[in-house]
Amino acid sequence: MPQPRKIVITSALPYANGPIHLGHLVEYIQTDIWSRFQKMRGHECYYVCADDAHGTPIMLRAQAEGITPETLIARISKEHQQDFAGFNIGFDHYHSTHSVENQYFATTIYERLKAQNHISRKTIKQFFDPEKSMFLPDRFIKGTCPKCKATDQYGDNCEACGATYSPTDLIDPKSVISGATPIEKETEHLFFELAHFNDELKAWTHQGHLQTQIANKLDEWFESGLRAWDISRDAPYFGFEIPGEKDKFFYVWLDAPIGYMASFKALCDRKGLDFDDYWGKDADTELYHFIGKDIIYFHALFWPAMLSGANFRTPSAIYAHGFLTIDGQKMSKSRGTFIMAKTYLDHLNPEHLRYYFAAKLNSRIDDIDLNLEDFAQRVNSDLIGKVVNIASRCAGFVVKKFDGKLCEDWSPIALALYQSFLDKSESIAELYERREYVQAMRDIMALADKANEYIDDTAPWVLAKQPNQQAALHESVSLGINLFRVLITYLAPVLPDTALKSADFLQLTSLQWRDIEQPLVGHIIKKFKPLMTRIEAETLIKMMDASKGDIAAQAPKSTLGSTEATKANPASAPDPVATEIEFDDFAKIDLRIAKIVNAETVPEANKLLKLTLDIGLGQRQVFAGIKSAYDPSKLIGKHTVMVANLKPRKMRFGLSEGMVLAAGPGGKDLFLLNPDDGATPGMRVN
């Protein structure tokens, strides 16, 4: 086991102006998995977060609702924390940027920067809404990006090309509040001179604190020159007044990252920790920020410069992730795929989503896709059919035949198999450490396959019928339970609630990483109760329908269906195994050799290729989800295997008249069943 470390982890602060949705949860689930893993490894680790509670949008929304901003942010904070708790996000402390701690650190950092001449004062021209008689925040101005010419972009940065600019640089700007064309008006603002830190930041960004893609992207900003950053806003504004100034407030982006410090300081006060041991200039502890790739400029340039200039430590690393798409496209309100956290929780188990995200996430900043069909299939196959199924298959024999007691003596074969599972401990831990969750899940599921193969080979249901094979039966099911324990330990950072239920079933006080080094021998377990139920297609449909209604109402506090009405009753849940079919059902499938006559991309779809197949009885059109693995031009003339008697399915791209067979973990590792190219189209595959 590694030497104990002291670690502080943060996620980006959710804005206190609306509910949490699944796109947000990519980050919080990714961070929570890493935090839980570090704690399981015995490290002193703290995960803190807070609501980002300042800015004009919150002020205007509170006015529209006829309440104070403080009342609004208190309500939103409660809703956010309920959503996070629903997804088992285990913050050690959750705070608010509208706090005495945050005001203290914002003021301290500003005054230290000012004392070092890193703050300047400039008269600028800023957009002013003539109808609302107020200066417009950057995000309340939209127009055309001056760099890439993308339309409908905000006044501070372009979501299309990532450029940052002044709102006055926008082409054809409009006020988001009134729709009026804003006018320019002079005002005096305070600026943080970021260029003072040019050399320090240029070195810092290439010292392993950032992903390579991010560091290379930031080089573009150094090439174009770092510009002074406007850190003040004019009244009216909901935030902290700048000391020594009149009607000037700290820009929300100044005090938002400082919220990490404020939240941790509140935790320190509660637990008796020394704040300077973690945030002081010479602190030897570790500090990590998990953020979305859209806010890297603020976190990787402004933030370390502010910290360094104010004599605080800089982050050990900043980890950026990509965005979430659903069924290959951006989340859509009209299609019901803009799914709120609460809506999901009203219909599905949160640990299903935690596992699916883990099975997609790696250390890069690539976007990930929540394909709802694949989501159901993978969760049902991996978690229910493989992992939980092991405990389900073995526990009944242990309880009924051996009074719940696991055997005490193992054969060399059993010991060797258990050891092979332990041998993966450090490599799986290293994958978690490097945030390569996708590979960790693959390796864990490979072990689950191995465990199920052992149970199939030893066939305890056969041994149970043979009086002279009770010792073999006892070892088979006892080892099965022990292998399940190892698997659920490896999965505990991803499935904390299922891990707790498993610990109770196994009668263990906890599931720590090092505990699996000692197998459970002569140990008493409880009667097995279903740990998880399958995802049904109709439940996904209900969730999407509820999402459409939720968005239509545009209400942060949704009034959706009862949780109790959509959760399966654990007491009546079936044994969690894959649905069985008879041989006669399988015999109905008509598999035939098909020659790929033509292959082309489907512009409207991210994953599909349009294939024209010759099966000897004429040509068929099939849409296949293999775009990530194959260049369509290289498929023409090849042979594959297809299901020839599948009922045609009408898709929005056209009619799909069959299915080609492929296997693999996904992405580029997806392999068509490829018979010899001399095979005859139309030939049956037996």
Side-chain angles (χ1 to χ4, degrees), residues 222 320 351 362 429 595:
F222 290 111
E351 302 215 324
N362 56 31
K595 182 178 182 180

Side-chain angles (χ1 to χ4, degrees), residues 1 418-419 422 425-426 485 513-519:
M1 293 295 290
Y418 188 79
Q419 186 60 47
L422 292 187
S425 171
E426 289 307 306
R485 177 210 182 191
W513 203 273
R514 66 172 65 89
D515 293 346
I516 59 174
E517 294 172 4
Q518 297 297 323

Side-chain angles (χ1 to χ4, degrees), residues 418-443:
Y418 188 79
Q419 186 60 47
S420 72
F421 274 54
L422 292 187
D423 289 344
K424 296 293 291 185
S425 171
E426 289 307 306
S427 64
I428 290 172
E430 179 63 20
L431 291 170
Y432 272 119
E433 179 70 37
R434 293 191 287 110
R435 307 175 323 285
E436 297 291 350
Y437 301 162
V438 58
Q439 189 59 52
M441 297 306 105
R442 288 175 184 171
D443 288 0

Side-chain angles (χ1 to χ4, degrees), residues 383-575:
L383 297 185
I384 312 299
K386 293 182 180 180
V387 178
V388 173
N389 196 36
I390 296 169
S392 174
R393 298 173 82 183
C394 296
F397 293 110
V398 176
V399 172
K400 293 175 184 177
K401 295 283 188 177
F402 307 105
D403 297 323
K405 186 176 181 179
L406 303 176
C407 72
E408 298 186 17
D409 298 314
W410 290 9
S411 67
I413 293 176
L415 289 169
L417 181 57
Y418 188 79
Q419 186 60 47
S420 72
F421 274 54
L422 292 187
D423 289 344
K424 296 293 291 185
S425 171
E426 289 307 306
S427 64
I428 290 172
E430 179 63 20
L431 291 170
Y432 272 119
E433 179 70 37
R434 293 191 287 110
R435 307 175 323 285
E436 297 291 350
Y437 301 162
V438 58
Q439 189 59 52
M441 297 306 105
R442 288 175 184 171
D443 288 0
I444 294 168
M445 289 307 143
L447 291 177
D449 287 336
K450 198 173 179 180
N452 279 292
E453 288 171 8
Y454 168 79
I455 296 168
D456 288 341
D457 289 344
T458 55
W461 52 91
V462 175
L463 297 175
K465 298 175 182 179
Q466 302 174 21
N468 63 338
Q469 294 294 322
Q470 296 309 290
L473 169 64
H474 202 185
E475 178 176 271
S476 170
V477 293
S478 296
L479 180 56
I481 292 296
N482 270 276
L483 298 181
F484 167 76
R485 177 210 182 191
V486 175
L487 292 170
I488 207 66
T489 300
Y490 289 158
L491 286 168
V494 180
L495 309 174
D497 187 55
T498 304
L500 281 175
K501 293 177 183 177
S502 299
D504 180 66
F505 153 64
L506 296 170
Q507 299 211 95
L508 299 172
T509 55
S510 67
L511 291 173
Q512 293 299 310
W513 203 273
R514 66 172 65 89
D515 293 346
I516 59 174
E517 294 172 4
Q518 297 297 323
L520 301 178
V521 294
H523 181 84
I524 304 294
I525 65 170
K526 290 183 178 180
K527 182 179 179 181
F528 179 79
K529 296 179 181 178
L531 299 171
M532 191 177 283
T533 53
R534 297 171 57 83
I535 298 175
E536 303 296 343
E538 53 266 31
T539 306
L540 292 173
I541 294 170
K542 288 178 182 178
M543 178 183 69
M544 294 175 70
D545 288 344
S547 295
K548 292 177 183 178
D550 187 39
I551 293 299
Q554 288 293 303
K557 295 190 293 184
S558 60
T559 53
L560 301 172
S562 165
T563 303
E564 295 303 317
T566 56
K567 285 188 177 178
N569 178 1
S572 61
D575 195 36

